Amino acid sequence: TCALPISIGAAGLPFAYRLFGRLPDKGYTFSKMTGLVMTTFSFWLISSYGLTSNSVGGIVFGLVVFLAVSIWLYQKTDQNLWGHLKENAGYVLTAEILFTLLFFTWAFVRAQNPQISGTEKPMEFAFLNAVTNSPTYPPLDPWLSGFAISYYYMGYIMMSIVGRLAAV
């Protein structure tokens, strides 16, 4: 599962570099988030139009589409991403160590209370299952049979993508 944020972050790096190029780190620390959001958006868009199915293959296709767009946008700049990363290797290493430390710390905290009980967790679990198992988007509403979810479900798609690519 550690390779997943790295690979999505690598796909998001050229895009983040172009989008956040004025920041001191040139968007490096935003690359994982940017990669996940844009991979989710591209997957959602192409599967909503019926170009691919709601499957791991469709997710990978969405990732490849985003990577192609990311590389294309990066090529339109005159900046040197790899030179910047080499010059700031200490910063990059620190950011990766901090990310990994926080990732495993929060995974440990969450593992201590994995129950799906209380507050809105049953609804969230139902929406996550609906998003994961739906053949098309918008997914079917688990509470209102025959209707689509009339709710913000992009975050559920993000979590579904992470879970399915990590084979969880």
Side-chain angles (χ1 to χ4, degrees), residues 20-161:
F20 303 109
R22 293 185 181 209
L23 294 175
D25 72 342
K26 306 288 187 202
Y28 181 81
T29 52
F30 288 105
S31 64
K32 290 178 185 64
M33 292 177 283
T34 304
L36 181 59
V37 168
M38 294 308 294
T39 298
T40 301
F41 180 72
S42 64
F43 166 65
W44 170 78
L45 194 61
I46 60 177
S47 61
S48 291
Y49 282 107
L51 301 175
T52 187
S53 63
N54 181 11
S55 64
V56 174
I59 295 169
V60 170
F61 183 68
L63 179 61
V64 169
V65 166
F66 167 61
L67 179 61
V69 169
S70 184
I71 290 171
W72 177 77
L73 278 175
Y74 173 71
Q75 288 177 345
K76 295 182 79 65
T77 65
D78 295 332
Q79 302 166 351
N80 183 9
L81 170 62
W82 308 119
H84 174 75
L85 292 177
K86 287 178 185 177
E87 289 173 12
N88 297 296
Y91 177 82
V92 169
L93 185 61
T94 302
E96 289 301 321
I97 289 170
L98 185 60
F99 173 81
T100 304
L101 180 67
L102 290 172
F103 179 82
F104 283 112
T105 299
W106 190 247
F108 175 77
V109 168
R110 192 66 198 123
Q112 302 310 306
N113 185 16
Q115 294 87 9
I116 300 173
S117 62
T119 64
E120 294 186 358
K121 287 182 185 177
M123 181 200 69
E124 291 173 351
F125 190 60
F127 278 9
L128 181 61
N129 279 326
V131 163
T132 301
N133 297 323
S134 179
T136 61
Y137 289 123
L140 295 176
D141 192 329
W143 305 114
L144 188 57
S145 180
F147 291 88
I149 291 178
S150 59
Y151 193 77
Y152 306 107
Y153 59 91
M154 190 64 76
Y156 298 106
I157 295 175
M158 278 188 216
M159 292 302 100
S160 175
I161 284 174

